[in-house]
Amino acid sequence: MIDLTGKVVLVTGGSRGIGAGIVEVLTGAGADVVLHYNSGKKEAEAIAKKCGAAKCHLVQADLSDPHAPEHLWEKAVVWKGRIDVLVNNAAVRLSAPIDGSFQELDDAWTKSMRVNAIAPAHLIRLAMPHFRKNGGGIIISMSSRPAFRGDRPDFFHDGGSKAALTALARGVARFYSHEEILSYVVLPGMIMSEQLEDFERHYGLEEALREIPLGELGKPRDVANVVAFLASGLARYAVGGTIDVAGASCLR
């Protein structure tokens, strides 16, 4: 039902999990997608082959490098000459207890903020003049439940970085919507992905399922379908909104 033909979308962190699901759904709806990846070259190539090389362009960048967002944006724009939608999906989720060593905690906070919040801020900074020149654009940023309710002690930094991204996305909506730069937040819950495997190692899936009223884990496509809807422009008046895709496990 969603037709994205003619739209060019940059998806960060598109080689695995939710990102891979987003790329597949968007290309299936007709979009041309720039798939950003860091270390998952083999996975990214497999997705591009599945979606069709003509519809999926691969760009590698390590977003923990302060200069990577600029290089990524430049390469993304060159492919089709423009970007219509930016999906800030790339993220790291590192384990570091709050009562651990100074260096362990400092490294976790620094890398989490760099990848999960600062890199998206730079991409948005680069997208602004581009969107203005083209009459507008759409920004979709992936938040998390801990951004609103606090994370577990081993992952305080992850919730903090996602809260920063959420504040950024909402600020863009408040102060740039009048320029047709439309910003949205998507809040995934427990989605079957590599990050869920990390949760399982720490706490077990039984605990995750107990707090999901719907009684089941989400799939990447559940999130991707919402992203496709927002990317279509059909949700224009919902600008600034946060859409929960969490099986009723995060009601704000």
Side-chain angles (χ1 to χ4, degrees), residues 138 177-178 180 182-184 229-230 232-240:
I138 294 172
S177 294
H178 69 283
E180 292 301 322
L182 308 179
S183 177
Y184 304 89
F229 173 57
L230 296 175
S232 71
L234 293 172
R236 181 174 175 275
Y237 207 70
V239 61

Side-chain angles (χ1 to χ4, degrees), residues 34 72-83 130:
V34 179
L72 169 59
W73 182 261
E74 290 173 354
K75 291 177 181 178
V77 171
V78 163
W79 182 43
K80 294 290 183 179
R82 73 179 198 281
I83 298 293
H130 184 80

Side-chain angles (χ1 to χ4, degrees), residues 9 79 84 100 143 145 148 183 198 231:
V9 186
W79 182 43
D84 302 305
S143 185
R145 299 183 306 172
F148 293 89
S183 177
D198 188 53

Side-chain angles (χ1 to χ4, degrees), residues 86-245:
L86 166 62
V87 181
N88 285 315
N89 170 72
V92 293
R93 183 170 168 83
L94 308 171
S95 174
I98 189 65
D99 56 355
S101 71
F102 167 86
Q103 197 59 56
E104 185 180 17
L105 189 66
D106 195 69
D107 288 346
W109 270 97
T110 299
K111 188 166 185 178
S112 296
M113 292 301 293
R114 171 62 62 185
V115 175
N116 299 357
I118 299 174
H122 280 300
L123 288 171
I124 290 173
R125 173 183 64 85
L126 294 162
M128 290 287 194
H130 184 80
F131 286 166
R132 288 191 187 104
K133 183 179 69 175
N134 294 326
I138 294 172
I139 301 167
I140 303 166
S141 298
M142 294 293 154
S143 185
S144 68
R145 299 183 306 172
F148 293 89
R149 66 182 193 178
D151 213 329
R152 293 167 181 270
D154 287 331
F155 300 98
F156 282 161
H157 45 280
D158 182 70
S161 63
K162 287 295 190 176
L165 176 60
T166 301
L168 167 65
R170 289 177 165 179
V172 171
R174 284 192 64 199
F175 295 102
Y176 293 97
S177 294
H178 69 283
E179 297 185 64
E180 292 301 322
I181 297 173
L182 308 179
S183 177
Y184 304 89
V185 175
V186 174
L187 192 159
M190 288 291 184
I191 307 297
M192 288 187 281
S193 66
E194 290 79 5
Q195 290 193 351
L196 183 64
E197 292 170 6
D198 188 53
F199 183 96
E200 181 179 12
R201 282 193 296 272
H202 277 81
Y203 309 110
L205 286 185
E206 295 78 11
E207 182 171 346
L209 285 167
R210 273 197 299 270
E211 63 176 59
I212 304 174
L214 193 59
E216 62 190 56
L217 300 171
K219 302 177 180 62
R221 182 170 286 269
D222 293 323
V223 180
N225 289 337
V226 172
V227 171
F229 173 57
L230 296 175
S232 71
L234 293 172
R236 181 174 175 275
Y237 207 70
V239 61
T242 299
I243 300 180
D244 300 339
V245 189

